[in-house]
Amino acid sequence: MIELSPRFDFNEVDEKWSKFWVDNNLFHARVNPDKNSYTVLIPPPNVTGILHMGHALNNTLQDIMIRYKRMRGFETLWMPGTDHAGIATQNVVERQLAKEGKTRHDFSREEFLERLWAWKREYGDTIIHQLKKLGASCDWERTRFTMDDGYSLAVRSVFVRLYEKGLIYQGEYIINWCPRCQTALSDEEAEHRDLQGNLYYLRYPVKNEENAFITVATTRPETMLGDTAVAVNPKDKRYKAYIGKTVVLPLVNREIRVVADEFVDAKFGTGAVKVTPAHDPNDFAMGRRHGLDFVNIMRPDGVLNEQAGDFEGMDRFEAREAVIEELSELKLLEKIEPHTHAVGHCYRCHTVVEPYLSRQWFVRMGPLAKPALEAVRKGKIKFYPSRWTKVYLNWMENIRDWCISRQIWWGHRVPVWYCAGDGQCKLACKEPIVSPTVPEKCPHCGSTNLKQDEDVLDTWFSSWLWPFATFGWPLEDKGSKELAYFYPTSSLFTAPEIIFFWVARMIMAGFEFMGDVPFSDVYIHGTVRDAKGRKMSKSLGNAIDPLEIIREYGADALRFSLIINSGQDLFISKEKFEIGRNFANKIWNASRLILMRVSSAGAGFDLEKINTKALDLPSRWIISRFYATLEKVTGAVERYRFSEAESLIYEFFWNNFCDWYLEVVKDRWTDENVQRVALGVLEKSLKMMHPFMPFVTEELWNRTQEGKGSLCIQGWPAFSRKLVDKEAERNMDVLLGLVSAVRTVRTQWNINPGQTVPCQLIVRTKKAAAFLDENLAMIKNAARLETVTITEKAAVKARDAATVLVGEIKCVIPLSGIIDVDKEKKKILAQALEQERALEGLQKRLQNKEFVTKAPAEVVAKEKERSVALQAKVRELKQVIASLE
RNA sequence: GGGCGGUUAGCUCAGCUGGUUAGAGCAUCUGAUUUACAUUCAGAAGGCCGAGGGUUCGAUCCCUUCACCGCCCACCA
């Protein structure tokens, strides 16, 4: 007798097995020529903090696939790790410092970085610990961090290689500047949000002409202080006369030219544009085209500088008000119109970004994008669901150069040194020294007085190397055993917002440095939102902590509930986790029942070797149901349809196995075959459910299948076609229908559920009678019937009894009441009529010569088949109607 | 401005190549339960499948127009 508590105590079980799996090193992958590899690389979580629900979803999906593939016999590698997440992590540490009343400038660069490493050590460990709690079957020995020594070497090498190929360049451009973080941002890091702003119409007096103005419209009037031209469309008749003339920029009294440029849209605003080359990307381009001056009016912190004259020292928004006020006094403000437009915000601190002129490093993306586009177009990389393919292609086709330098301290420092020289070779020394290792001296003048570039690289400039840098590249290259075995990896699981940041860039890096795709499948999952549809976030305070759910409902419940809700975006509230908890408990209790009832007879017995001929109908049925479910589940997992897989499992285990099979055999536990089937189906089910709910299944596996070793390294159940018994399923359906119909009758007539009732089953064939006879005990028991008589003719008049029709079996329960037989008949008649009409249409089509000759042969054949089936169906229905008469 | 997705029961969603009576979970209601599980069981009620048009013998499903919601992208100042 094995004692199990009636409640699944997940806390103890979760703890036990996550420790066991790690202690026994069950997830370590090695190069194994006898097996195919299946590799998944974790999207490394940021070391900014603890894991949120999105991580829980992302990692559960990966774990399901990895555990499934492991059971299918692949050498599976799931590479774990964390990302240093440049700006994001620096921000959280700076916020921590702010609480102490300090800024990073109170520290030296080294001291500040030490704070960051301390943070990383703490949170990096927490994240790994949390992944283990979730049940993630990662190869923990390989845990990587994007700033590990080896990884850093990869980052520097890549920089050098691209630089030498001419794909990295440095230049002055307008970039997205966050005045709060005081760093450049990439285009992807500037989030555009619609803001209600104003369109200000400013008048610029024409030089030497009384009362002549050109009116320009702008959303950022303060930038007028940096204007160096006014532009109009060359075709715009209104302004033709002004082209080449000079206007006087108010407030600063700078004389600026009126230039003609095709870019200007005559229809927008006034058709005249103020040109601020240092503060707007379009104006910058125009400035280049027309050789204009670049006047930078702003300091890096968003405060106006000495170029702003009287406005020096004002914050940009403060200056906006002041400029407008002064222009208004000068009567140079024509009007203000409300205007909604998209404004970039820093993706980390949400400050409005400023288009800012500065010297930055860029990657030329065009050449890199080419093979990456081809790979997806040709299907070498597939997106699941496929609609994301278009999103990817669209971005790649319009790709722009990537600004990779950041003016922060946390990250990979740009591997570029400048010779501060001894004055001997000024010319040569202007050339930067680009090297993966710290250069000892200037190659030109030999000076050892070298200064490294102050900037660090965009965090994604390291992440994009994840698929191979994690394997020790470039010290290990394509020829290395590990890379040859595990690269390209198999599937990538990630969120839609990461497609541009990461997925696309990994594909480009894969081709550039490894000459091959980094992975073949990309699975894009939904976003976890709260019940109101808002994205879960710490700042909104609507986040549900996965650890809290694990504590209250268990890791299996968290995993199961998340996945079954994961079709598209997930709308999660706490109650949603009950389904997983209840299901885990159901599995627990079904196993408990079996353990209590089964002697040693079922142990060590393999379902596949069973002689089905000796089994009763419910047993054949449940075995068949299992294999049918197994096949569908396997197919669903292979197609990344995880929620579908879970629904199938849920329905099978709960509705078929527990509610029917275990109920039906309740009184027959002494039957050895019942024991064998119950335990056999449980054994296979535990395997099938393991990738989804690893803890409860591992625990029960060890309780029911002692000595076989850990469940996570067992084989995935083999599908057995011969055990799918369609006839048993059909027959059982009839019985289930019968029982269910009787139950309905009982409810309708308010018969005490405990009370057994007499019943007459009327059948039309001897075969059906024999079939009922065979399963009489079960029917009686399940439907709570007594004195069931089976006859081939109706012996009771319909109006004296409740009559139910199930297939060809008519069930008559003598009662003081009438069931409306006419209604039943009408229903079937309507059905028959519809089928007949369908048949008619079909036959019409089949007689159509054009259709028969022109349509593909398979289609015609299929239609013929359908026609035959329909005919049979119609005939059958007519018979049923006749039997009702 | 461009693109994508959604609209199915009170709520959250399935419904994968068009075909019996459109499903599930939660919530509601009725009843059961000394017998693995109240985190249980049996049952009920609840749907012109967003609106219009089209294709078809037949449309939740395909085409088209529209409405509303959401997301992504975009240098009209």
Side-chain angles (χ1 to χ4, degrees):
Chain A
M1 236 341 123
I2 300 166
E3 293 282 339
L4 287 187
S5 110
R7 277 293 153 74
F8 169 44
D9 182 2
F10 44 82
N11 277 320
E12 195 186 312
V13 168
D14 288 5
E15 192 77 18
K16 176 166 110 193
W17 291 110
S18 61
K19 189 169 182 310
F20 176 90
W21 293 326
V22 173
D23 288 352
N24 289 275
N25 206 16
L26 294 175
F27 306 141
H28 184 53
R30 318 175 168 72
V31 174
N32 181 349
D34 300 334
K35 284 181 172 183
N36 287 324
S37 69
Y38 183 87
T39 310
V40 171
L41 298 163
I42 202 168
N46 293 347
V47 290
T48 44
I50 54 172
L51 296 188
H52 54 66
M53 224 22 116
H55 290 118
L57 170 67
N58 176 257
N59 289 294
T60 300
L61 288 163
Q62 294 175 76
D63 194 52
I64 288 170
M65 201 51 142
I66 280 284
R67 283 182 187 269
Y68 165 75
K69 292 283 182 181
R70 186 180 294 120
M71 291 177 84
R72 294 223 58 171
F74 286 84
E75 183 71 18
T76 47
L77 166 58
W78 185 10
M79 176 91 74
T82 47
D83 193 308
H84 69 280
I87 299 174
T89 312
Q90 176 157 331
N91 275 352
V92 293
V93 172
E94 283 190 72
R95 240 177 278 143
Q96 197 188 36
L97 288 178
K99 280 186 197 149
E100 304 166 19
K102 291 176 185 160
T103 75
R104 69 165 141 144
H105 301 291
D106 294 325
F107 300 84
S108 71
R109 187 164 181 152
E110 286 66 35
E111 286 165 349
F112 183 68
L113 285 178
E114 192 31 58
R115 288 285 299 234
L116 269 149
W117 277 105
W119 174 280
K120 183 264 158 186
R121 280 189 292 273
E122 185 183 343
Y123 282 93
D125 288 352
T126 308
I127 287 165
I128 297 300
H129 175 69
Q130 290 175 333
L131 285 173
K132 287 178 184 169
K133 288 206 103 163
L134 187 68
S137 61
C138 296
D139 186 350
W140 302 109
E141 281 179 28
R142 293 180 193 261
T143 306
R144 299 285 187 267
F145 177 56
T146 50
M147 276 170 63
D148 286 342
D149 287 345
Y151 203 105
S152 300
L153 176 66
V155 172
R156 294 193 301 269
S157 305
V158 158
F159 187 97
V160 174
R161 285 196 193 193
L162 292 177
Y163 181 82
E164 285 169 356
K165 267 184 101 168
L167 292 177
I168 282 186
Y169 60 92
Q170 191 181 27
E172 294 240 347
Y173 292 93
I174 298 277
I175 42 78
N176 302 292
W177 181 266
C178 174
R180 202 218 60 89
C181 302
Q182 297 205 25
T183 177
L185 300 172
S186 69
D187 291 330
E188 291 69 37
E189 287 168 327
E191 289 179 344
H192 289 269
R193 264 188 265 156
D194 273 349
L195 280 193
Q196 181 61 251
N198 292 314
L199 199 53
Y200 302 87
Y201 289 78
L202 316 180
R203 288 174 173 162
Y204 289 1
V206 181
K207 194 189 172 190
N208 297 332
E209 285 183 35
E210 285 282 318
N211 290 326
F213 305 101
I214 289 186
T215 305
V216 297
T218 179
T219 53
R220 293 186 295 149
E222 71 283 7
T223 62
M224 61 86 63
L225 300 168
D227 285 4
T228 55
V230 168
V232 297
N233 191 295
K235 288 184 192 124
D236 193 335
K237 287 181 188 137
R238 292 174 294 174
Y239 298 106
K240 210 145 205 176
Y242 294 103
I243 295 170
K245 287 198 174 171
T246 301
V247 295
V248 181
L249 188 64
L251 309 183
V252 284
N253 292 319
R254 182 160 50 234
E255 297 190 353
I256 59 178
R257 279 191 292 146
V258 177
V259 299
D261 198 293
E262 293 280 350
F263 166 78
V264 179
D265 179 354
K267 289 189 209 94
F268 188 86
T270 61
V273 185
K274 59 189 273 306
V275 183
T276 323
H279 291 278
D280 182 278
N282 297 315
D283 295 7
F284 176 80
M286 273 198 270
R288 282 270 166 104
R289 284 199 287 273
H290 298 281
L292 305 175
D293 289 336
F294 292 72
V295 179
N296 186 341
I297 59 160
M298 209 177 281
R299 300 201 318 234
D301 59 357
V303 171
L304 301 202
N305 64 19
E306 69 286 352
Q307 292 283 354
D310 296 343
F311 301 93
E312 182 182 358
M314 285 187 190
D315 175 76
R316 49 191 174 145
F317 297 115
E318 196 185 333
R320 179 170 300 174
E321 300 299 319
V323 163
I324 285 305
E325 200 174 309
E326 282 211 26
L327 286 173
S328 178
E329 275 168 27
L330 292 168
K331 303 251 182 308
L332 293 174
L333 178 68
E334 193 169 301
K335 58 176 170 177
I336 301 176
E337 283 178 352
H339 180 72
T340 308
H341 60 139
V343 179
H345 292 73
C346 173
Y347 84 125
R348 275 301 153 195
C349 70
H350 310 295
T351 305
V352 173
V353 299
E354 196 65 27
Y356 196 68
L357 184 66
S358 68
R359 194 169 176 77
Q360 304 287 346
W361 291 96
F362 295 86
V363 179
R364 190 165 285 138
M365 299 305 274
L368 296 177
K370 240 183 145 187
L373 262 168
E374 275 313 292
V376 171
R377 283 209 189 104
K378 289 196 175 142
K380 275 199 85 179
I381 296 177
K382 287 201 182 77
F383 282 83
Y384 296 85
S386 59
R387 62 189 145 91
W388 296 106
T389 311
K390 246 180 141 175
V391 176
Y392 169 90
L393 291 177
N394 187 46
W395 187 72
M396 290 291 278
E397 279 157 7
N398 299 295
I399 197 159
R400 293 188 291 162
D401 286 357
W402 175 16
C403 174
I404 52 168
S405 42
R406 297 288 181 276
Q407 289 65 49
I408 56 170
W409 287 346
W410 177 241
H412 300 277
R413 202 149 164 188
V414 173
V416 171
W417 285 261
Y418 303 98
C419 176
D422 45 18
Q424 294 298 305
C425 60
K426 271 187 175 154
L427 283 177
C429 291
K430 278 190 178 158
E431 202 171 298
I433 304 154
V434 180
S435 160
T437 53
V438 182
E440 281 174 22
K441 57 186 182 185
C442 171
H444 305 296
C445 68
S447 165
T448 53
N449 189 7
L450 302 179
K451 280 227 158 112
Q452 189 171 3
D453 196 304
E454 292 291 323
D455 292 353
V456 301
L457 294 162
D458 179 8
T459 197
W460 300 102
F461 193 84
S462 58
S463 323
W464 74 327
L465 314 176
W466 191 247
F468 47 90
T470 44
F471 289 101
W473 184 93
L475 297 180
E476 302 286 326
D477 67 5
K478 265 185 281 183
S480 98
K481 265 192 184 164
E482 288 232 320
L483 268 171
Y485 187 67
F486 293 115
Y487 190 97
T489 69
S490 311
S491 312
L492 179 80
F493 296 77
T494 196
E497 64 265 26
I498 307 300
I499 294 176
F500 306 142
F501 277 123
W502 194 44
V503 179
R505 288 171 181 158
M506 274 195 288
I507 297 173
M508 291 187 267
F511 277 105
E512 180 65 19
F513 303 107
M514 296 295 292
D516 201 353
V517 296
F519 32 71
S520 44
D521 289 359
V522 180
Y523 177 78
I524 304 288
H525 60 247
T527 307
V528 181
R529 298 172 184 282
D530 71 6
K532 288 180 187 155
R534 297 172 305 181
K535 207 166 167 175
M536 278 198 183
S537 79
K538 239 195 219 166
S539 48
L540 271 175
N542 61 350
I544 298 177
D545 179 5
L547 287 187
E548 188 188 325
I549 300 298
I550 289 178
R551 262 196 312 276
E552 283 181 38
Y553 296 83
D556 287 328
L558 170 71
R559 293 169 60 117
F560 188 86
S561 310
L562 272 179
I563 299 306
I564 205 159
N565 279 301
S566 72
Q568 303 195 20
D569 281 2
L570 294 79
F571 297 83
I572 292 293
S573 56
K574 226 172 154 186
E575 307 82 70
K576 293 249 167 142
F577 294 99
E578 286 172 9
I579 187 172
R581 177 198 60 184
N582 294 359
F583 189 45
N585 193 57
K586 192 72 183 176
I587 300 170
W588 180 261
N589 273 295
S591 307
R592 185 165 160 248
L593 169 71
I594 294 168
L595 277 172
M596 288 193 301
R597 296 297 146 79
V598 168
S599 60
S600 55
F605 171 78
D606 191 346
L607 207 54
E608 281 162 60
K609 295 187 185 108
I610 202 158
N611 174 15
T612 49
K613 284 192 184 116
L615 297 180
D616 58 3
L617 176 64
S619 293
R620 292 202 309 276
W621 170 78
I622 197 64
I623 291 170
S624 179
R625 288 297 311 136
F626 172 79
Y627 282 101
T629 305
L630 174 69
E631 192 186 23
K632 284 189 196 155
V633 167
T634 306
V637 173
E638 291 285 352
R639 290 177 299 142
Y640 299 91
R641 302 182 67 118
F642 301 103
S643 62
E644 184 181 316
E646 282 198 354
S647 305
L648 288 162
I649 286 174
Y650 185 87
E651 196 196 327
F652 164 75
F653 196 84
W654 199 312
N655 300 135
N656 296 162
F657 189 54
C658 294
D659 286 352
W660 275 106
Y661 188 71
L662 294 182
E663 290 299 329
V664 155
V665 300
K666 216 157 205 176
D667 305 325
R668 295 195 281 124
W669 282 107
T670 46
D671 183 340
E672 263 195 10
N673 273 334
V674 166
Q675 295 190 20
R676 284 175 171 169
V677 171
L679 196 60
V681 169
L682 177 67
E683 185 245 353
K684 301 275 184 209
S685 299
L686 289 175
K687 283 179 173 171
M688 181 169 71
M689 297 188 287
H690 180 253
F692 305 90
M693 310 183 92
F695 294 103
V696 69
T697 50
E698 178 77 274
E699 173 70 18
L700 291 169
W701 174 265
N702 282 274
R703 297 222 185 226
T704 57
Q705 306 288 328
E706 258 174 288
K708 287 191 184 171
S710 170
L711 176 55
C712 62
I713 49 171
Q714 304 294 319
W716 183 253
F719 176 66
S720 165
R721 189 159 300 283
K722 74 172 202 288
L723 288 176
V724 176
D725 185 341
K726 289 282 179 214
E727 201 196 332
E729 294 211 28
R730 267 198 307 274
N731 287 340
M732 193 69 179
D733 279 349
V734 169
L735 293 190
L736 298 187
L738 192 62
V739 170
S740 155
V742 173
R743 280 177 182 167
T744 310
V745 168
R746 300 178 71 103
T747 314
Q748 275 172 6
W749 264 265
N750 281 324
I751 300 163
N752 182 345
Q755 186 190 338
T756 50
V757 294
C759 173
Q760 188 172 32
L761 297 173
I762 302 152
V763 292
R764 302 188 66 255
T765 59
K766 285 223 158 59
K767 202 178 160 195
F771 162 69
L772 281 179
D773 205 35
E774 245 173 64
N775 297 287
L776 204 57
M778 185 192 127
I779 297 165
K780 282 172 84 168
N781 200 358
R784 297 204 70 83
L785 296 170
E786 62 177 8
T787 59
V788 176
T789 48
I790 300 167
T791 53
E792 286 178 52
K793 275 191 175 174
V796 184
K797 281 183 186 166
R799 88 170 90 88
D800 302 326
T803 311
V804 191
L805 193 76
V806 183
E808 283 193 54
I809 300 166
K810 193 152 119 188
C811 173
V812 182
I813 303 168
L815 289 165
S816 54
I818 298 168
I819 194 167
D820 192 349
V821 180
D822 280 347
K823 205 169 140 196
E824 296 286 328
K825 220 165 80 182
K826 263 187 209 156
K827 240 163 129 185
I828 293 162
L829 271 170
Q831 224 181 73
L833 206 71
E834 199 184 320
Q835 300 284 337
E836 250 178 318
R837 278 184 61 198
L839 185 61
E840 226 172 87
L842 206 56
Q843 282 174 341
K844 208 169 92 190
R845 183 182 299 176
L846 285 170
Q847 279 159 17
N848 183 341
K849 274 192 187 133
E850 218 172 312
F851 172 76
V852 177
T853 48
K854 285 188 182 166
E858 310 128 50
V859 175
V860 178
K862 203 180 142 198
E863 296 290 65
K864 274 187 185 160
E865 247 174 67
R866 271 175 51 198
S867 152
V868 172
L870 266 175
Q871 272 174 19
K873 182 91 196 175
V874 170
R875 207 177 309 129
E876 191 185 315
L877 282 168
K878 279 184 176 165
Q879 274 175 18
V880 172
I881 292 162
S883 77
L884 280 170
E885 300 296 325

